[in-house]
Amino acid sequence: MKIRYAVAALAVALAPYSASHALDIGGLVGAGTKVVQAATLSDAEIKTLSDKACAQSDSQEKIAAPGSKYDARLQKIAKSLGSTVNGQKASYKVYITKDVNAWAMANGCIRVYSGLMDMMTDDEVMGVVGHEIGHVALGHSKKAMQTAYTVSAARDAAGAAGGATVAALSSSQLGDLTEKFINAQFSQSQESAADDFSFDLLQSKKLNTRGLVTAFQKLAELDGGKSDMMSSHPSSAKRAQHIEERIAKAK
């Protein structure tokens, strides 16, 4: 989910859209020896990298205090969705920023930006978070971390340490890895699959699936229908229509 504007963000963010800085995960995976090497990273290594990247990101952002308005809202949503993500204990936190964004890592690190929460209801935020959980459950976040590692300074640092993926990384190297993950752009099929995962998750828990529709509609209004909160394709409007069709079929 990625849009970055200076006013409000799902890898939604609001300041001119930063697609030019995004990693095209769909296009990079399998596009060379380095990517192949990254694909050999074990789940444990991916978790360690995710732990480090999540901590790095947290250190650079203002986090909503436990029990605050934003945190209380997100923890309520988290309770409805579950305490684990793909077998990992989930960690839900809110970044206080006008950006409109949300993302999740393979270690269960889930971050939602206050700019996103300001423009959406709890049901809509729940649909967005369900989408991000989908990226984790479907292996997309793992691939994104593999690719971010491959093209970041972290890989060179690990190579210098004899190939140890979890080698001690400098702040700048870890920051490069973290930035590339957060700005990663998923493929159209990955985004669509995550949308469907969110719908199925909400439906299985008897939660409001229409929130996913209206979340996309708000994003469509936000970006004028030109770009998508989670990717440049498909458009937010088309994604809203797809979920509408699924709701109709479920009746």
Side-chain angles (χ1 to χ4, degrees), residues 81-103:
L81 292 175
S83 60
T84 61
V85 177
N86 207 31
Q88 302 284 342
K89 183 177 180 180
S91 167
Y92 295 84
K93 293 183 181 180
V94 179
Y95 287 169
I96 305 301
T97 170
K98 292 181 179 180
D99 286 350
V100 175
N101 201 9
W103 47 263

Side-chain angles (χ1 to χ4, degrees), residues 171-188:
S171 178
S172 62
Q173 290 162 342
L174 189 55
D176 185 35
L177 169 70
T178 304
E179 180 181 8
K180 283 181 168 57
F181 174 86
I182 293 176
N183 288 328
Q185 186 178 67
F186 295 107
S187 69
Q188 178 173 352

Side-chain angles (χ1 to χ4, degrees), residues 1 10 77 116 119-131 195 198-199 202-203 207-219 229-230 236 239-240 243-244 247:
M1 296 186 169
L10 194 319
I77 290 170
L116 173 68
M119 66 178 285
M120 294 189 178
T121 66
D122 285 359
D123 285 340
E124 290 165 347
V125 174
M126 194 175 301
V128 167
V129 173
H131 171 98
D195 292 346
S198 181
F199 178 87
L202 296 173
Q203 189 176 57
L207 299 171
N208 182 5
T209 54
R210 279 207 60 78
L212 189 56
V213 175
T214 53
F216 282 130
Q217 290 174 337
K218 286 183 177 180
L219 290 170
M229 167 180 97
M230 294 174 250
S236 298
R239 296 168 82 165
I243 300 301
E244 284 272 30
I247 291 175

Side-chain angles (χ1 to χ4, degrees), residues 2 13 15 44 47 56 116 124 138 141 148 158 170 181 196 226:
K2 314 253 167 337
K47 182 181 184 306
Q56 171 76 5
L116 173 68
E124 290 165 347
L138 298 171
S141 295
S170 69
F181 174 86
D196 283 328
K226 296 179 181 179

